[in-house]
Amino acid sequence: MAIMPVGNLAKTILSNKMTSLNIAFSGISALDTYQTEREEGAGFAKTTASAVFDAALASTVGFVPYLAYSMAKEIPGLAVDAYQAYGQYSRQLGAMQKQQAFQNAKFNDTEQAYTMRQAGMAIAQRSRYNVQQAMLGNEAKYMMR
């Protein structure tokens, strides 16, 4: 078995860029499939078979179709995750809304309510004025002794 010089290997790789890229992508895809399934708890035989199948599929159909296949395979899971996140967010907003005071209260400013508010303010002012007068009167009463 003859070993190719590094210069010839580089020329071969550069002249067959797409094939080289496809082989590299197949290897990366197989490695990723193997690691993902092992992390999920699958056995050695199953993960190896899946990795070999992924590598063969990636190198057979090409980079772009395999990428489309991988994305299409993930879409249902992403849709379920998005639906669950939306449900959780809406429940959180509902809980926050229930904790707000006077959330359904609407203030209708009519002429009568305005007049009543003015009357209430006038009463409060008179009361404050009467308290001040009483305090001044008591003060004067004690000063005159």
Side-chain angles (χ1 to χ4, degrees):
M1 183 159 150
I3 298 177
M4 246 188 209
V6 176
N8 288 343
L9 181 63
K11 284 181 188 176
T12 305
I13 289 174
L14 289 175
S15 65
N16 299 317
K17 290 178 192 160
M18 288 308 290
T19 305
S20 302
L21 230 118
N22 201 8
I23 290 170
F25 179 71
S26 298
I28 291 170
S29 169
L31 185 63
D32 181 54
T33 301
Y34 180 81
Q35 287 177 343
T36 303
E37 290 199 12
R38 285 299 276 186
E39 287 173 1
E40 290 175 358
F44 176 76
K46 182 183 182 306
T47 55
T48 305
S50 283
V52 169
F53 174 75
D54 253 10
L57 184 64
S59 63
T60 304
V61 298
F63 176 73
V64 175
Y66 182 76
L67 195 60
Y69 163 74
S70 296
M71 287 172 50
K73 194 169 60 171
E74 295 296 323
I75 288 175
L78 292 174
V80 168
D81 291 345
Y83 179 74
Q84 288 176 344
Y86 173 74
Q88 181 181 2
Y89 180 68
S90 64
R91 285 190 299 277
Q92 183 182 7
L93 282 180
M96 284 175 30
Q97 186 179 21
K98 287 179 184 175
Q99 295 174 357
Q100 291 178 353
F102 307 110
Q103 66 182 3
N104 294 327
K106 292 189 170 66
F107 182 70
N108 295 326
D109 197 10
T110 61
E111 191 174 329
Q112 183 180 6
Y114 182 72
T115 307
M116 290 171 68
R117 225 178 11 257
Q118 276 184 321
M121 290 301 293
I123 290 171
Q125 285 286 48
R126 277 195 309 267
S127 173
R128 191 172 131 215
Y129 180 72
N130 288 342
V131 168
Q132 284 177 345
Q133 290 298 89
M135 285 173 53
L136 285 175
N138 288 342
E139 190 176 297
K141 183 170 101 177
Y142 289 116
M143 296 287 271
M144 293 299 287
R145 283 187 184 191

